[in-house]
Amino acid sequence: MKGVDSGAEYALTQLRRVLESTTSKVGIHLRTGTLVLFNNHKVVHGRTPYQRLRFDGTDRVVFRSYFATNLDSVVEDTRII
């Protein structure tokens, strides 16, 4: 990620410094059929780079999902399933 201006770049640099110095890092290795959900309001998360992609349907996949606690606040053109 790159900051859009010098102030944003400084903030990102400081954030990286804090995240790299933390001792509360947790690694999760997903196995076939497992799922992890993160609340972006409570955790900072990332992922390791993809390795040895096969493109045969067995590769690791990351999906983005959004959840609403109040449907009145959902934008009209949002798909609700």
Side-chain angles (χ1 to χ4, degrees):
M1 190 179 319
K2 188 162 178 60
V4 295
D5 57 31
S6 61
E9 190 61 36
Y10 176 78
L12 285 170
T13 300
Q14 296 304 311
L15 177 61
R16 284 187 193 101
R17 198 170 285 155
V18 168
L19 293 175
E20 289 169 358
S21 69
T22 185
T23 58
S24 60
K25 296 177 186 174
V26 175
I28 300 172
H29 180 78
L30 298 179
R31 295 189 179 117
T32 301
T34 59
L35 168 74
V36 174
L37 299 175
F38 296 103
N39 181 336
N40 285 334
H41 295 280
K42 297 188 179 201
V43 299
V44 175
H45 60 88
R47 65 168 180 79
T48 56
Y50 292 111
Q51 297 177 0
R52 298 180 299 279
L53 294 174
R54 295 177 296 271
F55 302 103
D56 62 358
T58 62
D59 295 322
R60 176 172 91 172
V61 179
V62 176
F63 290 101
R64 178 178 290 170
S65 298
Y66 297 94
F67 300 89
T69 56
N70 179 355
L71 292 180
D72 294 332
S73 66
V74 176
V75 180
E76 288 182 13
D77 64 353
T78 302
R79 289 180 53 196
I80 299 175
I81 301 174

